[in-house]
Amino acid sequence: MQIIEVHTKSRPSTVFCGAGSAEMASEYLRGAQAFVVTDTNVSRLYSERIAQLFPGAPVCVLPAGERYKSRTSLFRILDAMLDARLHRSSVVVALGGGVIGDMAGLAAALYMRGTRIVQMPTTLLAQVDSSVGGKTAVDYRGVKNVIGAFYQPERVYCDPLFLETLPPREIRCGLGEIIKTALLDDSIGQKIRENTGRLHDLAFLHDLAADCVRFKAGIVERDETESSGLRKCLNLGHTTGHALELLCGRRSHGEYVLIGLWLESFIAEGEGVCTPAYAQEVRSFLSLVQPRIPRIPNAAEGLRYALLDKKNNGGDISFILPKARGEYAELALTPERYERYLNILAGEQA
Amino acid sequence: MQIIEVHTKSRPSTVFCGAGSAEMASEYLRGAQAFVVTDTNVSRLYSERIAQLFPGAPVCVLPAGERYKSRTSLFRILDAMLDARLHRSSVVVALGGGVIGDMAGLAAALYMRGTRIVQMPTTLLAQVDSSVGGKTAVDYRGVKNVIGAFYQPERVYCDPLFLETLPPREIRCGLGEIIKTALLDDSIGQKIRENTGRLHDLAFLHDLAADCVRFKAGIVERDETESSGLRKCLNLGHTTGHALELLCGRRSHGEYVLIGLWLESFIAEGEGVCTPAYAQEVRSFLSLVQPRIPRIPNAAEGLRYALLDKKNNGGDISFILPKARGEYAELALTPERYERYLNILAGEQA
């Protein structure tokens, strides 16, 4: 069991990674009024387990999938919380992937101006990244995460048991954020380079997840609300990733991050942020997890979605780009200039 | 000009009270992308002034009144923010009473996980109380403030110019929170006792408002999110006040606080929290502002609404009661016991 403390200004958060975490969550919440938020996939596979872990707790089951990360789902959770007559000391348990974690986290942040929240991520992506750091949100009017809050979970329990039932697509999704983190923290990069054959071994992935959480905790502690700029580094690959996610929308967040990293390696190279050799290294690294590069109808469409991103102030588009092993750089491009790179996706496949 | 610093953990907030504050706000926001949220009343009276103070800023005008403190209004603001393509460094200006301040504050807290927010309270109630301290919310499914967040405004500008156009009902509403504060801070109580003839003199009221803000700042600094229990003292009179507001609903929040204080003086006396002499003093104090005590159909109805309050965990009902000059006590009553006191409102008028 690895225990990682996240010391943020707003409230301390503790992450538990390892077999038996789910039981620990159950133990921790004994005596509290627990309220479980999950989705149809998790509920189908684990409903008995949920009843065992949190006996008597109401379970709010939402439809699974990124497109249900909406205002409607948010209010379904809030309605169920009201129906269950939760109070401020009740504990919301977000049992699911990133979508459930983000939405249940936001509902917990808003209900009575803040109830307790515990994250129990069931996907690799959520265990690696989204359950830690307190970012909560729903998408709205086509803009990703535009309604949300920073609200730290008091505990995060990452149990590898849930990874066993994940489809390959979900593993690839988690690998997206792992590779991103490995580009920011070269000790993780090194570990992957030394174990390229183990990238589909769940025990190894769960171990990497803990490394990623430790790295992220260090960032979040220093810049909880993304105000100093430091936390932005976690958006490596996300500018293009988010745009493609909105434009294509059939795959999962982490896959689009992989594709974003791929395209942005060309930007980093083309704009002189990194050497051609390092850009090539990034792409080889990505090829370990074989991202399936999509074609887009045309570059202008991709650009339109990139301009919707909340990180852009209307003018230039900002990127966090790979610079060297464990290093990144921030760069802004004019829409016209970015469009040229997007043409790579509109043209021949790499 | 009085300047009051509120040092909360999440972010510092500065309150300016005095003539010329509105101009200072205008000056402060020069160069920023400002976005004004207001209501039909303020817009009718001050639209030219708003255009002068914040040239070129989009103005989102909501229907006036407590019953529009709803999810629908919240999303009208968020929609207008999206339409105006605001970014995280844009500044929402909440120009109105408590309802506008609470809703614009919540919209600012949620938009892109937090934009900048400046409060410009136009009512006595908002200048005395609601614009300071970072509580934001909307009502939902009949429960007051059940969806909200703690989100500190970076600046609060209380300009007495807006008080001149307030109807008497709004003055009485502000007096509700002033009297409440005077019961918690006897230096304010003393000032009122020495100036009973000036309770409708706007300059005096504006001066009292600054005293109330200073008192509240001291509380909020020590317990920003109402977690240690200290901030609860600001709920003096509010348990009954909120229940009656939901049940009767035709008057303003501050008036119901006055009525709540009146009824709860009987509870304090009856439960031995204060002496009969002090309870009588509280009621004489209240009579300075002549609260119009309503009749309710029956005590059971009042109780039903009290039980909806988010502060109650389903069992006993908690109260913050006057104990002695500048002192309060927390007390929980069983619903049955509280119902007996509610009978005072169902029976003969006092």
Side-chain angles (χ1 to χ4, degrees):
Chain A
M1 181 70 59
Q2 300 194 49
I3 301 172
I4 300 156
E5 302 280 350
V6 192
H7 300 281
T8 55
K9 206 169 62 166
S10 64
R11 94 191 59 203
S13 191
T14 309
V15 187
F16 299 83
C17 298
S21 304
E23 292 301 332
M24 286 179 69
S26 166
E27 192 61 42
Y28 179 63
L29 295 181
R30 195 151 297 163
Q33 185 183 16
F35 174 88
V36 178
V37 181
T38 192
D39 68 20
T40 45
N41 287 342
V42 178
S43 166
R44 185 167 38 80
L45 293 162
Y46 296 103
S47 64
E48 275 176 44
R49 192 69 176 246
I50 296 169
Q52 229 167 47
L53 290 169
F54 309 107
V59 181
C60 173
V61 182
L62 295 164
E66 197 81 33
R67 71 193 178 97
Y68 295 103
K69 190 174 167 182
S70 62
R71 170 173 61 164
T72 307
S73 299
L74 173 67
F75 278 88
R76 274 187 60 178
I77 304 173
L78 289 166
D79 282 335
M81 291 171 80
L82 271 165
D83 292 341
R85 308 183 76 86
L86 297 198
H87 42 82
R88 282 178 94 182
S89 52
S90 307
V91 189
V92 175
V93 180
L95 182 72
V99 173
I100 289 296
D102 278 14
M103 292 199 298
L106 182 54
L110 289 175
Y111 187 79
M112 298 192 177
R113 299 195 188 95
T115 56
R116 298 169 61 194
I117 169 91
V118 161
Q119 294 278 354
M120 278 184 72
T122 59
T123 64
L124 185 60
L125 175 87
Q127 293 195 358
V128 166
D129 185 63
S130 64
S131 64
V132 175
K135 277 195 178 180
T136 74
V138 292
D139 303 337
Y140 183 60
R141 283 181 44 185
V143 189
K144 276 192 69 70
N145 301 326
V146 74
I147 294 180
F150 290 98
Y151 193 69
Q152 299 300 332
E154 57 183 61
R155 297 267 174 119
V156 182
Y157 294 95
C158 300
D159 198 311
L161 93 93
F162 296 110
L163 303 183
E164 286 161 24
T165 47
L166 288 181
R169 156 187 204 279
E170 277 296 339
I171 298 291
R172 200 156 48 234
C173 179
L175 279 165
E177 294 288 354
I178 288 177
I179 297 286
K180 176 202 82 177
T181 311
L183 293 175
L184 295 168
D185 177 347
D186 197 51
S187 67
I188 301 174
Q190 185 64 22
K191 202 167 182 172
I192 295 177
R193 284 192 295 272
E194 288 167 4
N195 294 275
T196 50
R198 297 183 64 199
L199 277 180
H200 291 272
D201 164 354
L202 288 180
F204 180 64
L205 291 179
H206 186 71
D207 189 52
L208 282 177
D211 294 335
C212 292
V213 166
R214 197 168 284 109
F215 172 78
K216 185 169 179 178
I219 300 289
V220 169
E221 283 176 356
R222 284 177 289 163
D223 181 19
E224 183 178 5
T225 57
E226 211 166 293
S227 41
S228 81
L230 178 67
R231 189 168 178 165
K232 274 191 205 164
C233 75
L234 301 174
N235 290 327
L236 193 80
H238 280 60
T239 301
T240 302
H242 275 167
L244 294 177
E245 197 171 342
L246 288 171
L247 174 59
C248 313
R250 279 185 311 277
R251 306 191 203 155
S252 62
H253 172 71
E255 276 204 86
Y256 288 111
V257 169
L258 285 171
I259 302 159
L261 290 170
W262 182 83
L263 186 80
E264 293 183 13
S265 73
F266 291 99
I267 300 180
E269 182 179 349
E271 301 297 321
V273 167
C274 74
T275 63
Y278 184 63
Q280 190 49 56
E281 177 177 319
V282 168
R283 289 190 289 272
S284 322
F285 211 60
L286 290 167
S287 72
L288 291 174
V289 291
Q290 303 167 322
R292 298 166 303 167
I293 310 300
R295 296 194 66 139
I296 58 175
N298 55 64
E301 269 299 276
L303 182 65
R304 195 165 73 79
Y305 282 95
L307 288 169
L308 281 180
D309 195 289
K310 69 177 175 341
K311 291 184 290 297
N312 299 315
N313 296 359
D316 289 354
I317 300 175
S318 56
F319 298 86
I320 305 294
L321 298 172
K323 188 177 166 190
R325 286 186 179 178
E327 290 177 43
Y328 67 93
E330 195 173 349
L331 184 82
L333 291 184
T334 62
E336 296 70 31
R337 200 159 176 88
Y338 180 43
E339 198 173 351
R340 283 203 259 162
Y341 290 102
L342 281 171
N343 269 317
I344 299 174
L345 290 173
E348 287 298 305
Q349 294 302 292
Chain B
M1 181 70 60
Q2 299 195 50
I3 301 173
I4 301 156
E5 301 281 352
V6 191
H7 301 282
T8 56
K9 205 169 64 166
S10 64
R11 95 191 58 201
S13 191
T14 310
V15 187
F16 298 83
C17 298
S21 304
E23 292 301 331
M24 286 179 70
S26 166
E27 191 60 43
Y28 180 64
L29 296 181
R30 195 151 299 164
Q33 185 185 16
F35 174 88
V36 178
V37 181
T38 192
D39 69 19
T40 44
N41 286 342
V42 178
S43 165
R44 184 167 38 80
L45 292 162
Y46 296 102
S47 64
E48 277 177 43
R49 192 69 176 247
I50 295 170
Q52 228 169 48
L53 290 169
F54 309 108
V59 181
C60 172
V61 182
L62 295 164
E66 198 79 33
R67 73 194 178 94
Y68 295 103
K69 189 173 167 182
S70 63
R71 168 173 63 163
T72 308
S73 299
L74 173 67
F75 279 87
R76 274 187 59 177
I77 303 173
L78 289 165
D79 282 336
M81 291 170 80
L82 272 164
D83 292 340
R85 307 182 77 88
L86 297 198
H87 43 81
R88 282 178 95 181
S89 52
S90 306
V91 189
V92 175
V93 180
L95 183 73
V99 172
I100 288 297
D102 278 14
M103 293 199 298
L106 182 55
L110 290 175
Y111 188 79
M112 299 192 176
R113 299 196 188 96
T115 55
R116 298 169 61 194
I117 168 92
V118 160
Q119 294 278 353
M120 278 185 71
T122 59
T123 64
L124 184 60
L125 175 87
Q127 295 197 355
V128 166
D129 185 63
S130 64
S131 64
V132 174
K135 277 195 179 180
T136 74
V138 293
D139 304 335
Y140 183 60
R141 284 182 43 186
V143 189
K144 275 193 71 69
N145 300 326
V146 74
I147 293 179
F150 290 97
Y151 193 69
Q152 299 300 332
E154 57 184 60
R155 298 268 175 119
V156 182
Y157 294 95
C158 300
D159 198 311
L161 93 92
F162 296 109
L163 303 183
E164 285 161 25
T165 48
L166 287 182
R169 157 188 203 280
E170 277 296 340
I171 298 291
R172 199 155 49 233
C173 180
L175 279 166
E177 294 288 354
I178 289 177
I179 296 287
K180 177 202 82 177
T181 311
L183 293 174
L184 294 168
D185 176 347
D186 198 50
S187 68
I188 301 173
Q190 184 65 22
K191 201 165 182 173
I192 295 178
R193 285 192 294 274
E194 287 166 3
N195 294 276
T196 50
R198 296 183 65 199
L199 277 179
H200 292 271
D201 164 353
L202 288 180
F204 180 63
L205 291 179
H206 186 72
D207 189 53
L208 282 177
D211 294 335
C212 291
V213 166
R214 197 168 284 111
F215 172 78
K216 185 170 180 178
I219 300 289
V220 170
E221 282 176 357
R222 284 176 288 162
D223 181 19
E224 183 178 5
T225 57
E226 212 164 294
S227 42
S228 80
L230 179 67
R231 188 167 177 168
K232 275 192 205 166
C233 76
L234 301 175
N235 290 327
L236 193 81
H238 280 59
T239 302
T240 302
H242 276 166
L244 295 177
E245 197 171 343
L246 288 171
L247 174 60
C248 313
R250 280 186 310 278
R251 306 190 203 157
S252 63
H253 173 71
E255 275 204 87
Y256 288 110
V257 170
L258 286 171
I259 301 159
L261 291 169
W262 181 83
L263 186 80
E264 293 182 11
S265 73
F266 290 100
I267 301 180
E269 182 179 350
E271 301 297 320
V273 166
C274 74
T275 62
Y278 184 64
Q280 189 50 56
E281 179 177 319
V282 169
R283 289 191 289 271
S284 321
F285 210 59
L286 291 167
S287 71
L288 291 173
V289 291
Q290 302 168 323
R292 298 165 303 167
I293 310 301
R295 295 192 66 138
I296 59 176
N298 55 64
E301 270 299 276
L303 181 64
R304 195 165 73 78
Y305 282 95
L307 287 169
L308 282 180
D309 195 289
K310 68 176 175 342
K311 291 184 291 298
N312 300 314
N313 296 358
D316 290 354
I317 300 173
S318 57
F319 298 86
I320 305 295
L321 298 172
K323 189 176 167 191
R325 285 185 179 179
E327 290 178 43
Y328 67 93
E330 195 173 349
L331 184 82
L333 290 184
T334 62
E336 296 70 33
R337 201 160 174 89
Y338 179 43
E339 197 172 349
R340 284 203 258 161
Y341 290 103
L342 282 170
N343 267 318
I344 299 174
L345 291 172
E348 285 298 304
Q349 294 301 294

